[in-house]
Amino acid sequence: KLESDPALANMSGVETKQNISQNEDRIYELETRHEEAMREVREHHESELADMQRRHEEELKELRQRHEEDSGESRSRYERQLEVNQTYFDKIRSQDQQLSEAQELINQ
């Protein structure tokens, strides 16, 4: 096969070995660069993923805090309304009691 390739047919065995050695060096260099590039890509993706996860956790924390604040405000409004209703109910009960007492006096 070497004789069928004009470029290789004119080479001596030493030149062929040198070319093979150079090609092997080039392959090793390309594989090393590829591995380094893949490592950089992996590190970049891991970094982006960590950033996304951190942002997600911060957003989740903010949402939970807002929910607690909203729930607290709703609870406070509910408790205030409950107090108003209780006060109103107490007034009605007092007036009802007074009416009952007045009715008893009238009936006597």
Side-chain angles (χ1 to χ4, degrees):
K1 282 191 171 182
L2 291 179
E3 292 82 25
S4 65
D5 188 339
L8 294 177
N10 295 329
M11 290 185 181
S12 69
V14 173
E15 290 173 322
T16 302
K17 287 182 183 178
Q18 287 175 343
N19 281 347
I20 290 172
S21 177
Q22 288 173 351
N23 286 342
E24 288 173 346
D25 290 346
R26 182 76 175 131
I27 289 170
Y28 175 77
E29 179 184 333
L30 290 173
E31 286 176 344
T32 302
R33 279 198 216 159
H34 174 73
E35 289 171 5
E36 185 178 318
M38 291 304 293
R39 182 183 49 74
E40 289 176 3
V41 167
R42 195 169 27 257
E43 288 173 357
H44 177 71
H45 283 265
E46 288 171 356
S47 173
E48 282 186 342
L49 183 60
D51 288 346
M52 286 173 49
Q53 188 171 3
R54 193 171 24 260
R55 283 193 304 270
H56 173 73
E57 289 171 358
E58 289 172 1
E59 289 174 8
L60 190 58
K61 182 180 175 183
E62 289 175 13
L63 285 173
R64 283 184 178 142
Q65 184 176 356
R66 243 185 285 148
H67 173 72
E68 288 177 14
E69 290 170 359
D70 290 348
S71 295
E73 289 174 11
S74 294
R75 195 171 19 254
S76 294
R77 283 193 301 270
Y78 171 79
E79 289 169 354
R80 283 193 303 272
Q81 187 62 47
L82 191 59
E83 288 174 11
V84 167
N85 291 352
Q86 186 63 47
T87 302
Y88 181 69
F89 180 75
D90 290 345
K91 285 181 183 178
I92 291 175
R93 191 173 355 162
S94 173
Q95 289 174 354
D96 186 49
Q97 182 68 32
Q98 289 173 358
L99 286 173
S100 293
E101 290 172 1
Q103 187 67 39
E104 283 182 30
L105 288 175
I106 292 173
N107 290 337
Q108 288 181 357

